[in-house]
Amino acid sequence: MPQARPFQNDDRQRVLDASDIVRLVGEHVQLRPKGREFVCVCPFHDDHKPSMYVVPSKQIYHCFSCGAGGNALDFVINYFKMDFREALKFLADRAGVELTPWNPRPDAANAAQGDSESRSTRAQLFDAAAFAHDFFRTILRHAEHGAVARETVQKRAIAPQMVEEFGIGAAPDRWDGLERTIASKNMDPAPFLALGLLKRRERETGMYDALRHRLIFPIHDQIGRVIGFGGRKMRDEDEPKYLNSPESALFDKGKNLYALHLARKAIQDTKTAIITEGYTDVIACHQAGVRNVVATLGTSLTRDHARQLERLCDTVVLLFDADEAGQRAADRAIEIFFNAPIDVKMCVLPGGKDPDELLKQEGGAERFREALAGAMDALDFRFARLRQRAAGEGMSSVAKLVENDAQRLVELGLLNLEPIRKRRVVRRLATIAGVTESDIEQTLRRHASRSASRPARVGENDATDPDAAPTGSARAGLGVIPNGPGEQALGALLADPTLFHDLRDDEVGALEAHRFTHPACAEVAQTLLAMLHAGDDCAATSLLAAMPSANARTGAGELMMRAELPCEGDRARRLKTLRDCLARLDVAAARATATDSNARFQALLEAHARHGRMPTAVPRPASTPP
């Protein structure tokens, strides 16, 4: 019997019953209906074509490319990098389910801390970030310490609703405001040091606040948890203008976008994301009613940023300054999105102003929307800049410019683009160079050949990026799950457990765990048969919740999906298919266990007889004359 058995009334099952996986996944990934299921770009690997299915009837998801799969809890654990308790609480809060108070045994708590110190630290970091956020918001409201910050908010015309919605706060003009508050609560300063909110003095004992006399903008993750802070100066002599939290176990500026938790729904509804460069620009846009706006966090756009937005929308509009630095940033952003399956547009606001400046002017909101409506396609923008650089140059200089650009486009994956997009790029390059399209294609092939023979540099592309999500079933340590008759039968029962009641004892025996060489399949078989024999609830959520390991849950999801997607026709047909699989499995087992040809002959006859059919060809026993 498996160690993990379903509990009909435990917290996990109540939370799963209250969670709609289609709604959950759809809040973070753009879903498209496909028959009875939904498909989407998989968020667990660098997926460009929808390879993940979400099945509402089973309340499961599964990616046929990288093998990721499971139930709502598995999605939250893997997508948000939460541990089990964090994920359970997140889903419970989301569904309005009250959890049973959790009081772990001391030995279990110590074991958990020893096994995963990082998880314990993450929980402490989230608590510290939330405490600091409350402190900064309290300071903003303080009659004395928040006076200058409130004047700054008013001067920048940030509405009280935006102050509340974005959680804006203030750091006091002193070295020990946060530090003394932490000490007065007898709190451990270690998480605050890890977040970079406190710093140790170099030549004397003690600590001091990293953020002082600044307007504070909290930085949230996708589900609204505070993970870091940005501080804007309020005195001209203070430098730098903006000071962000250092990167930590919670905060990676290359993987997070400012205000995505607030903009996500609007991005999905409009199928468009607008990216700008500053906190106040984002707030000004939201205040003007343009809610699908986010910002980078003091860094250039990264491939991780692009992946997040690809899952949510079809179009990205990049808002950058008209100066040379802004144009360079725009070029880098276009390259990041070059190979992405979404449309990218460039928007330079009139007068070279940033959104915050423009929206404060008379009629600024209307001019802002007009500029967005007239945004230029990113490829047109890129080639317009290339044409400007080539203007007035000699033939050799133009040829060198086009050669360099062609090489860069090959490195970005031009040859892997869809034919229509690729043809468009080739045509533009040919026009600028004043040559034929075949000449450009020959140039691209030459650069592709050179790139193939050159050793790849780490970080050059996703395939060599040490932080890139691994692909294939090896992601979960599964290896490749076989697709033999035993696995097919197991999948059929997982997809429709009611078929179990029509099977004979000898047919059920063919599914015993020892028949499976793959460890995940063996766990699935053992758990499934135990539940069926006990008469337990075998709904898909219960089945997955009962699996004794993450590998077993992922394996069960894959087997279930294999059986679910082609499963058409009436119940009698599904039962016949299941019995055929079990018969083939029984015959294969008889063949494998026989010690000699006579025993094999007899075992095969008995196996075929059990399933009501005669073999079309069996080996003769050794004692039978020809």
Side-chain angles (χ1 to χ4, degrees):
M1 297 290 286
Q3 293 180 350
R5 291 290 308 278
F7 296 93
Q8 300 299 325
N9 298 313
D10 70 354
D11 287 343
R12 175 171 59 178
Q13 193 59 50
R14 289 190 299 115
V15 167
L16 288 173
D17 289 342
S19 301
D20 178 9
I21 198 167
V22 175
R23 183 181 171 193
L24 171 68
V25 177
E27 288 176 357
H28 306 283
V29 186
Q30 189 174 194
L31 293 176
R32 293 183 173 88
K34 186 174 183 180
R36 295 175 298 172
E37 287 82 37
F38 292 84
V39 295
C40 62
V41 171
C42 177
F44 301 110
H45 74 284
D46 193 18
D47 192 15
H48 294 296
K49 295 182 179 179
S51 59
M52 192 169 96
Y53 281 73
V54 181
V55 184
S57 62
K58 302 294 181 185
Q59 288 294 300
I60 62 173
Y61 71 95
H62 183 76
C63 175
F64 283 95
S65 179
C66 74
N71 56 28
L73 272 168
D74 295 307
F75 181 83
V76 172
I77 288 169
N78 292 311
Y79 189 80
F80 297 115
K81 304 297 186 290
M82 294 182 178
D83 63 22
F84 174 78
R85 290 297 305 182
E86 287 176 318
L88 189 69
K89 186 177 186 308
F90 168 71
L91 286 177
D93 292 343
R94 183 175 172 277
V97 174
E98 185 176 351
L99 296 177
T100 305
W102 187 54
N103 295 308
R105 298 187 306 274
D107 57 337
N110 293 337
Q113 186 173 2
D115 292 339
S116 182
E117 183 179 345
S118 62
R119 287 185 177 179
S120 175
T121 302
R122 274 179 62 86
Q124 293 173 0
L125 291 176
F126 276 120
D127 289 342
F131 181 87
H133 184 212
D134 288 341
F135 169 79
F136 293 134
R137 294 184 70 188
T138 300
I139 293 297
L140 180 64
R141 296 189 294 266
H142 192 276
E144 176 188 352
H145 297 301
V148 176
R150 290 194 300 275
E151 290 175 7
T152 303
V153 167
Q154 187 174 7
K155 189 182 301 181
R156 300 197 66 85
I158 300 175
Q161 179 185 348
M162 293 295 105
V163 172
E164 186 66 27
E165 193 169 310
F166 284 84
I168 297 173
D173 187 13
R174 56 187 301 164
W175 290 86
D176 59 356
L178 178 61
E179 190 274 332
R180 289 184 64 179
T181 303
I182 293 168
S184 70
K185 302 288 185 181
N186 293 320
M187 299 178 70
D188 182 1
F192 298 91
L193 287 164
L195 290 173
L197 294 170
L198 295 181
K199 292 186 177 181
R200 292 194 181 278
R201 301 182 187 274
E202 293 183 2
R203 298 182 179 179
E204 52 186 296
T205 60
M207 295 165 284
Y208 65 93
D209 294 3
L211 296 172
R212 302 177 303 279
H213 199 58
R214 286 180 178 268
L215 194 64
I216 301 296
F217 299 89
I219 301 166
H220 300 78
D221 64 12
Q222 288 190 51
I223 57 176
R225 297 177 298 181
V226 177
I227 56 176
F229 299 90
R232 189 189 190 282
K233 71 176 185 179
M234 294 187 290
R235 271 190 300 247
D236 291 340
E237 62 269 23
D238 288 342
E239 291 297 339
K241 181 177 180 180
Y242 280 98
L243 184 63
N244 285 340
S245 298
E247 294 195 345
S248 67
L250 301 187
F251 176 48
D252 184 336
K253 62 186 178 182
K255 294 182 178 180
N256 291 280
L257 290 164
Y258 181 67
L260 183 57
H261 69 298
L262 296 175
R264 186 187 66 225
K265 187 177 186 303
I267 290 172
Q268 290 180 301
D269 290 344
T270 62
K271 299 188 185 303
T272 301
I274 300 171
I275 305 176
T276 186
E277 296 182 285
Y279 303 128
T280 54
D281 289 335
V282 173
I283 294 170
C285 290
H286 281 244
Q287 186 168 314
V290 185
R291 308 285 291 183
N292 56 329
V293 183
V294 296
T296 51
L297 293 162
T299 183
S300 301
L301 275 167
T302 67
R303 187 72 192 109
D304 285 310
H305 293 143
R307 288 192 191 104
Q308 289 184 62
L309 297 174
E310 287 169 28
R311 301 167 196 155
L312 297 173
C313 61
D314 298 326
T315 303
V316 168
V317 179
L318 304 170
L319 280 177
F320 289 100
D321 294 338
D323 59 15
E324 186 59 31
Q327 299 301 295
R328 288 196 300 270
D331 285 337
R332 289 194 298 270
I334 291 171
E335 291 189 353
I336 288 293
F337 283 100
F338 181 76
N339 208 21
I342 57 177
D343 295 326
V344 181
K345 297 182 178 182
M346 290 298 308
C347 180
V348 177
L349 297 179
K353 297 188 178 298
D354 60 38
D356 188 31
E357 291 175 319
L358 180 61
L359 289 167
K360 285 183 172 64
Q361 295 180 349
E362 183 72 26
E366 183 178 349
R367 293 167 65 197
F368 181 75
R369 287 183 170 85
E370 288 175 355
L372 290 176
M376 180 185 294
D377 178 84
L379 284 177
D380 292 341
F381 180 88
R382 180 187 176 91
F383 290 125
R385 283 174 55 75
L386 181 63
R387 192 178 291 108
Q388 286 176 355
R389 292 198 298 271
E393 296 289 342
M395 186 178 297
S396 296
S397 297
V398 172
K400 186 175 181 179
L401 278 173
V402 174
E403 279 273 350
N404 291 340
D405 203 59
Q407 178 179 345
R408 182 57 183 152
L409 291 175
V410 168
E411 293 172 352
L412 293 172
L414 172 61
L415 300 182
N416 296 325
L417 290 182
E418 295 176 356
I420 294 176
R421 294 182 69 189
K422 177 184 171 185
R423 175 60 57 192
R424 184 180 171 198
V425 173
V426 170
R427 186 177 297 121
R428 294 299 179 86
L429 287 174
T431 301
I432 294 171
V435 298
T436 66
E437 292 181 22
S438 60
D439 291 331
I440 294 297
E441 288 176 342
Q442 184 177 354
T443 299
L444 295 174
R445 285 193 295 270
R446 184 173 71 251
H447 285 300
S449 177
R450 290 175 181 172
S451 297
S453 62
R454 172 173 53 84
R457 300 188 301 271
V458 173
E460 185 176 56
N461 53 48
D462 290 325
T464 56
D465 185 352
D467 294 325
T471 58
S473 296
R475 174 188 168 276
L478 282 171
V480 179
I481 290 184
N483 194 28
E487 288 75 25
Q488 292 174 24
L490 202 54
L493 269 183
L494 286 165
D496 185 359
T498 65
L499 299 177
F500 173 78
H501 304 295
D502 293 295
L503 298 179
R504 302 187 307 271
D505 289 344
D506 59 286
E507 290 175 317
V508 174
L511 285 174
E512 292 176 356
H514 66 83
R515 297 282 183 93
F516 297 91
T517 57
H518 193 286
C521 293
E523 285 185 306
V524 171
Q526 184 179 16
T527 304
L528 175 62
L529 290 183
M531 294 178 67
L532 290 169
H533 281 302
D536 289 332
D537 173 26
C538 288
T541 53
S542 300
L543 283 168
L544 293 180
M547 293 300 155
S549 69
N551 278 352
R553 283 197 303 278
T554 304
E558 180 164 343
L559 293 170
M560 199 180 295
M561 289 292 291
R562 285 179 186 174
E564 174 73 18
L565 294 178
C567 186
E568 299 292 345
D570 57 22
R571 188 176 185 280
R573 181 180 172 185
R574 297 198 300 272
L575 180 60
K576 182 180 183 302
T577 301
L578 172 59
R579 280 189 158 143
D580 286 344
C581 290
L582 291 171
R584 295 193 340 255
L585 183 63
D586 194 20
V587 168
R591 190 192 303 274
T593 55
T595 56
D596 55 44
S597 58
N598 283 323
R600 184 179 303 112
F601 179 78
Q602 186 62 36
L604 290 175
L605 287 177
E606 291 175 357
H608 282 287
R610 279 196 298 273
H611 299 285
R613 61 186 191 182
M614 289 302 295
T616 55
V618 296
R620 293 176 179 273
S623 58
T624 302

